Amino acid sequence: MSDIYTSQRSLLTDILSLFQSNRSSNLNDFFKVLVYDDFTLSVISSLIPAVKLRSLGITFHIGIASSKQPISDIPALYFVSPTEDNIKMIAADIKKQLYDSFHIVFSDRIDQVLLRDFAVSLGQTNHHHLVKSIKDCQMSFNALTNTLFSLNLRNSFFDSFFQKETLVPTVTAKLMSVLSHCGKKPIICHSNTVVCDAIKEQIQSSIRTAPFEGSICQRRPLLVLLDRSDDLAGPILHSWLYHTMIHEKFDFTLNRLVLEDGDTKEVFDLFPDDELWEKYGPLPIVDVVSKLPEELERYRSVASIDETNMDSIKSKISMLPKERQRKKAIDLHTRLLKSLMQEVESRSLDEFFHRGCEVLQKQLKPRALGKMCEKGTSEDLLRLAVMYSLVSKDIDGAVGAFPDLESDIRSISSLIEGESSSKTSVFGRASRLVGTLVGGQYRSPLIQQLASALELDSQYSVVDPVTNISDRNMLNNVSYRDVVLFVTGPMALHEYYQLKEYGETNNLRLMIGCTEVSSGSEFLQQLLSVARNI
């Protein structure tokens, strides 16, 4: 079950090539216009570099809501979400005969009522013959690595309070898209929170009649639904991992890195098949600093040519294109590391990481907390103070250490103190789930929760959505190895890497997902928004 990224990229390649395995002898059947919406653009950009679109026959691409000019003698591929607005815009473009023909692929299953209305509108235009194909596929999520997916629902933690009626069905529909790739209907084990209960109910209702055509799982998987509210402190931790620090420092979303310097804007794709990115992303930044020069030396040794040896010359010349790409990657990571290390020095991020780990282990006293007041930014201090108050419940101690941050500290801390309203009762378990130290390293509470869920622990509800059986003893007779772990809320990248390592250590085929991948800074802002609006 570890090939969801590869599976999604293969499916997207088929879609963009109109499901043709070979380039047609008629170039008009190969070259095409691509029309997308915001979501499908995010899917494409997280799976395929823009420079490769041309090789798939994409000569021009445009957003569905953009103003379009007619382009004759060339087909159009509409890869969009199956929404009412999109269907209306497609029908309008067909009526205008903007393109020679239309191929329509929806990113998820289309509602039959919408499909019927679309057919009726096409019949009224007398241009239905321009539509050559209509398909739907299960791509309503973003596969970021072979074991990580995101539903890309921004501000999902805030919405779980104030837009729950919209959030839950959206999460359910997208999760069903993920589950379809497993090929078998899962057993569901979930945290007993309001949001997880609601998602479980809707998945259970949908799953009985849903066709499952994937082939990732060897046997029925276990779907574990966890709630971000069970651990509010973990994502705020200042991470020391290279990948996470890039996410914190730069504009890095859905495998795409954007660097801006004044009016100059550069875009880089950092995909799982990028050797250096895959190799160094999970490592502490100090390890990357020590190892990256070795990559440069390796490149120089490969690029050097022995002019007296013709075989060596031929061999090295054949390797040059690949090595030049490698050199570009080395230069990029060298540039990123230089910027990150300047940030570490100016903000004392190494100290915030170590103090944060001590907070999560309840080993840091208020006096030591106060010694950090001259370091970092006000946001760095607030993250540390909020972690301390959430874990220790010593709100006065946090305020005493950082009096200038009293309002925000008390506001967020009230979420688990029950000071705001009955809505916050969902946070009752948050302060009890504290990470452990394994080999001197912080261990995310999500690992503890996953381990308990795998044993179908009594603190979680469990059900077979096919038979409606919720007998824990009966369902616990199976050893679950195919596992889909989903966090309803944001997840930090350092949590993902710990979960991935846990899965590998315990021989699990583990797929990890969340409503959104979030940096500590982004999650802190959502916490503040929730606290200020309750």
Side-chain angles (χ1 to χ4, degrees):
M1 196 172 61
S2 62
D3 61 350
I4 188 170
Y5 179 87
T6 304
S7 172
Q8 285 288 78
R9 185 166 58 177
S10 176
L11 176 56
L12 179 60
T13 300
D14 288 342
I15 290 171
L16 296 180
S17 59
L18 297 180
F19 298 94
Q20 297 174 0
S21 57
N22 297 306
R23 178 183 289 205
S24 171
S25 57
N26 181 358
L27 292 182
N28 283 345
D29 290 337
F30 177 75
F31 293 112
K32 65 193 80 71
V33 173
L34 171 64
V35 182
Y36 52 78
D37 61 17
D38 288 344
F39 175 72
T40 54
L41 176 61
S42 77
V43 171
I44 295 168
S45 64
S46 64
L47 293 170
I48 294 179
V51 294
K52 289 190 177 181
L53 291 178
R54 181 77 178 185
S55 66
L56 295 169
I58 306 299
T59 58
F60 179 71
H61 49 84
I62 189 172
I64 189 169
S66 301
S67 176
K68 309 180 192 73
Q69 297 298 319
I71 303 178
S72 60
D73 300 326
I74 190 169
L77 166 62
Y78 280 68
F79 177 41
V80 296
S81 307
T83 66
E84 183 177 358
D85 288 343
N86 282 345
I87 287 173
K88 288 180 179 179
M89 285 187 280
I90 295 172
D93 289 351
I94 294 172
K95 184 177 181 180
K96 296 175 185 176
Q97 304 180 67
L98 292 181
Y99 308 108
D100 179 68
S101 59
F102 292 75
H103 299 265
I104 303 166
V105 180
F106 294 112
S107 62
D108 205 349
R109 298 192 184 279
I110 183 172
D111 180 82
Q112 291 303 304
V113 175
L114 286 179
L115 186 59
R116 182 190 62 201
D117 293 343
F118 182 49
V120 171
S121 66
L122 286 182
Q124 294 172 345
T125 66
N126 294 321
H127 298 305
H128 58 276
H129 63 281
L130 296 178
V131 180
K132 301 303 181 183
S133 64
I134 300 178
K135 299 178 182 293
D136 58 26
C137 58
Q138 301 291 301
M139 294 195 72
S140 59
F141 62 94
N142 295 96
L144 303 180
T145 75
N146 279 333
T147 53
L148 174 64
F149 68 90
S150 167
L151 304 189
N152 196 24
L153 299 174
R154 309 306 296 175
N155 297 314
S156 58
F157 186 73
F158 180 87
D159 288 347
S160 67
F161 282 84
F162 306 106
Q163 300 289 335
K164 191 180 304 177
E165 295 76 10
T166 303
L167 179 68
V168 169
T170 302
V171 169
T172 301
K174 289 177 176 287
L175 259 183
M176 288 297 296
S177 181
V178 174
L179 293 173
S180 71
H181 286 263
C182 297
K184 292 182 174 65
K185 299 179 180 182
I187 306 297
I188 303 175
C189 180
H190 67 94
S191 179
N192 292 307
T193 64
V194 175
V195 174
C196 284
D197 282 339
I199 294 173
K200 184 271 298 184
E201 288 293 334
Q202 293 199 14
I203 287 180
Q204 188 173 1
S205 175
S206 301
I207 215 167
R208 294 192 183 103
T209 57
F212 276 60
E213 301 171 353
S215 58
I216 291 179
C217 288
Q218 297 179 8
R219 48 186 160 179
R220 289 188 71 182
L222 180 68
L223 170 62
V224 179
L225 299 175
L226 301 180
D227 199 314
R228 180 75 274 168
S229 62
D230 285 340
D231 171 33
L232 302 181
I236 311 175
L237 175 70
H238 287 81
S239 177
W240 200 230
L241 300 184
Y242 180 49
H243 191 166
T244 311
M245 293 185 74
I246 284 179
H247 192 196
E248 290 273 5
K249 164 70 174 173
F250 302 106
D251 179 2
F252 179 68
T253 307
L254 302 177
N255 293 340
R256 178 154 290 181
L257 173 68
V258 179
L259 299 180
E260 295 189 50
D261 184 6
D263 295 332
T264 304
K265 184 176 182 179
E266 298 176 274
V267 179
F268 301 91
D269 295 311
L270 296 176
F271 293 140
D273 54 3
D274 183 311
E275 181 184 348
L276 292 182
W277 183 237
E278 186 73 1
K279 182 177 180 180
Y280 294 125
L283 298 183
I285 189 172
V286 289
D287 290 350
V288 184
V289 170
S290 65
K291 293 178 182 296
L292 194 61
E294 298 174 7
E295 299 289 346
L296 184 57
E297 288 302 316
R298 191 176 296 115
Y299 162 78
R300 287 171 176 166
S301 65
V302 172
S304 62
I305 297 177
D306 181 359
E307 297 180 359
T308 64
N309 188 324
M310 186 57 66
D311 290 336
S312 173
I313 294 174
K314 291 179 179 179
S315 174
K316 293 296 177 69
I317 289 176
S318 66
M319 296 170 63
L320 279 179
K322 181 179 179 180
E323 289 304 316
R324 282 172 179 161
Q325 287 300 116
R326 186 177 183 84
K327 178 59 164 58
K328 288 182 180 178
I330 293 172
D331 289 344
L332 171 61
H333 288 291
T334 300
R335 178 179 169 188
L336 296 175
L337 276 175
K338 181 179 179 180
S339 179
L340 286 175
M341 291 309 295
Q342 290 173 346
E343 198 83 355
V344 168
E345 184 175 353
S346 65
R347 292 169 53 192
S348 302
L349 293 180
D350 53 337
E351 292 192 52
F352 277 99
F353 167 65
H354 292 298
R355 296 294 172 265
C357 288
E358 290 174 357
V359 165
L360 292 171
Q361 300 308 311
K362 298 185 178 180
Q363 296 175 351
L364 193 68
K365 303 300 181 184
R367 182 177 299 177
L369 193 68
K371 292 180 180 179
M372 298 293 293
C373 64
E374 300 298 326
K375 303 178 185 294
T377 64
S378 59
E379 184 179 276
D380 292 328
L381 298 175
L382 181 58
R383 286 170 66 172
L384 187 62
V386 167
M387 287 172 57
Y388 178 83
S389 62
L390 289 175
V391 172
S392 68
K393 292 191 176 182
D394 181 11
I395 301 173
D396 290 337
V399 170
F402 308 116
D404 292 343
L405 304 175
E406 178 175 4
S407 176
D408 287 339
I409 293 171
R410 292 195 182 279
S411 181
I412 294 178
S413 300
S414 69
L415 292 177
I416 64 168
E417 287 297 304
E419 296 171 0
S420 297
S421 84
S422 59
K423 284 186 179 181
T424 63
S425 61
V426 70
F427 296 102
R429 295 172 56 214
S431 61
R432 298 201 300 273
L433 280 168
V434 180
T436 57
L437 279 177
V438 178
Q441 295 183 339
Y442 165 70
R443 186 179 184 183
S444 169
L446 292 176
I447 294 177
Q448 174 188 335
Q449 292 176 273
L450 173 58
S452 298
L454 288 170
E455 298 175 357
L456 304 187
D457 189 279
S458 59
Q459 65 180 305
Y460 300 100
S461 295
V462 60
V463 66
D464 181 341
V466 178
T467 64
N468 209 32
I469 292 174
S470 56
D471 187 318
R472 197 175 308 276
N473 293 327
M474 184 179 299
L475 296 175
N476 208 13
N477 288 331
V478 180
S479 176
Y480 296 100
R481 285 291 174 261
D482 291 319
V483 181
V484 180
L485 170 67
F486 181 76
V487 176
T488 59
M491 178 188 289
L493 284 168
H494 66 83
E495 296 177 302
Y496 158 67
Y497 280 118
Q498 288 197 25
L499 287 166
K500 179 185 177 185
E501 182 179 6
Y502 177 84
E504 293 170 347
T505 302
N506 291 274
N507 196 30
L508 299 176
R509 289 182 288 270
L510 181 61
M511 190 189 303
I512 303 162
C514 54
T515 51
E516 59 180 306
V517 176
S518 174
S519 68
S521 176
E522 291 167 340
F523 184 56
L524 178 69
Q525 295 308 312
Q526 289 197 58
L527 280 176
L528 285 169
S529 295
V530 170
R532 290 166 179 170
N533 283 275
I534 282 183

